[in-house]
Amino acid sequence: IAARLRVAAPVLLPGLGAAPHWQVVVARVEWADGDGQTGRIAQTLLEEILVDPHATGPEQSDRIAVAHTGEEAVALVPLPAVSSEHDGSEAGVLADALLESVREPLSAGLDGDGRVTLGVSAAVHSAEGLRGALEEARHARRVAAARPGRVCAAGHQELASHVLLLPFVPDDVRRAFTARLLDPLRDYDRRHRAELIPTLEAFLDSDGSWTRCANRLHLHVNTLRYRVGRIEQLTGRDLSRLEDKLDFFLALRMS
């Protein structure tokens, strides 16, 4: 494979004296009626959205190799080898930019009946890295699939944080974990309109800063302290402890 990629490099990226880097993009299309013939649709989709309208030289769609298997399509995208250090600075497909360019038209085309999820790997500079890039793109797509919305994408940058783990938590474990921590607060909010859940979210988003959180919620600090105290009383947790803050953070993300 490595030898064939080197031979193909002048055709894929004409005018460049070095072999290209590569990225892998994975796409999956799902329909509400459960139609399993979605791999070819995902392949066609990748062939369309990965073409750069400003590219020069041979037709860019001829450079990008796209195939499908089952419900999944995989694209191998050649990139210029702009750095010899392979430090991650190479230009290439960015998940955020890709999502921004396709979200609106694809959401309109799906018309509430389907869903598209995309995963993008980091660039690799050898054939030996392609297997890892494929797995990375697949993991990123699963992260995207765990998000709400008709069209979602995730990139390799997100795999270095907790978001990589959340899609792989079984649904029953996810429900039990979030219910144990958040249901007492939701029940209290329903009965008393106390806004404990929004307070908890703002407190964690403010990194536990009383002043910033109070300003954000337009509350007196003493009112905020009362709400946080009520959260701790209802859940048996201590929001001054990192472990308990982390548990609440993950519960909110998984809910």
Side-chain angles (χ1 to χ4, degrees), residues 135-147 158-159 161-174 254:
E135 290 306 312
E136 190 173 59
R138 283 174 168 162
H139 282 312
R141 194 208 62 78
R142 292 189 191 104
V143 170
R147 296 171 176 167
E158 300 179 66
L159 301 187
S161 75
H162 66 278
V163 297
L164 173 61
L165 304 177
L166 297 187
F168 305 103
V169 178
D171 287 343
D172 55 343
V173 175
R174 183 192 302 257
M254 287 193 290

Side-chain angles (χ1 to χ4, degrees), residues 56-79:
T56 58
E59 183 67 32
Q60 194 188 20
S61 60
D62 292 335
R63 307 181 197 176
I64 300 171
V66 188
H68 76 274
T69 172
E71 299 177 343
E72 177 186 78
V74 178
L76 180 62
V77 183
L79 308 171

Side-chain angles (χ1 to χ4, degrees), residues 86-130:
H86 314 307
D87 58 1
S89 63
E90 296 86 2
V93 180
L94 301 177
D96 290 345
L98 183 63
L99 180 61
E100 184 65 25
S101 67
V102 302
R103 180 194 280 123
E104 186 174 343
L106 286 183
S107 297
L110 291 167
D111 194 28
D113 292 328
R115 191 159 192 256
V116 175
T117 50
L118 302 158
V120 182
S121 79
V124 296
H125 62 277
S126 69
E128 289 75 17
L130 291 178

Side-chain angles (χ1 to χ4, degrees), residues 10 37 75 98 108 132 237:
Q37 303 300 315
L98 183 63
R237 299 299 186 107

Side-chain angles (χ1 to χ4, degrees), residues 196-226:
L196 296 185
I197 291 290
T199 300
L200 176 62
E201 292 174 331
F203 186 72
L204 295 177
D205 286 344
S206 302
D207 297 324
S209 168
W210 296 99
T211 302
R212 290 206 309 273
C213 184
N215 290 338
R216 177 174 175 172
L217 295 174
H218 306 291
L219 296 174
H220 192 279
V221 171
N222 289 341
T223 303
L224 175 61
R225 290 186 183 277
Y226 172 81

